[in-house]
Amino acid sequence: MVHVERQVTVRRPLAEVVRYLANFSHAVDWDPGTQECDRIDGGPPAEGAQWHNVSEFRGRRTELTYRLVTLTDDHVVFVGTNKTATSRDDLSFRTEGDTTVITYRATIRFHGLARLADPFLRREFERLGDEITVSMPAAIERNAA
């Protein structure tokens, strides 16, 4: 299992930030690995909503189906699955003065033989976590409203 945790702060109201990040289609803007992310079902983001996500990781294309499993005023959780991995993106939010602090936690659990790659992939996921500290706030500042 690989776990990455980062904190970022943005100058946007908490409700705007949660609304923006609860739509996983926006991952193309803030997640450096995401190439495509399209809603499978319709309607506004709500628990149970699903997205088809295409990411590139270490030069390889990976497809996962993500489901929104938690959506509250200050917490959003997505779980993505395919035959080789389960990915959990856990975002919690708090107001601090006139800013919103986002705690981003990503956990990737590999299945079967893919588990053997855990130790070798940890550094790459840490690097992606570092990139998110730049890309996520920039995307929110540009797009959240």
Side-chain angles (χ1 to χ4, degrees), residues 76-135:
V76 175
V77 178
F78 298 97
V79 174
T81 56
N82 67 15
K83 63 184 175 184
T84 59
T86 299
S87 177
R88 180 180 176 93
D89 288 67
D90 185 315
L91 300 105
S92 56
F93 309 88
R94 74 176 190 279
T95 299
E96 202 169 274
D98 63 345
T99 65
T100 298
V101 178
I102 305 160
T103 301
Y104 172 78
R105 296 174 189 91
T107 305
I108 300 91
R109 187 177 311 271
F110 294 99
H111 309 296
L113 291 175
R115 286 184 303 188
L116 300 174
D118 256 15
F120 305 105
L121 299 178
R122 189 171 311 275
R123 184 173 291 147
E124 183 68 16
F125 281 107
E126 288 290 339
R127 184 188 64 73
L128 289 173
D130 292 342
E131 287 183 26
I132 281 176
T133 65
V134 175
S135 58

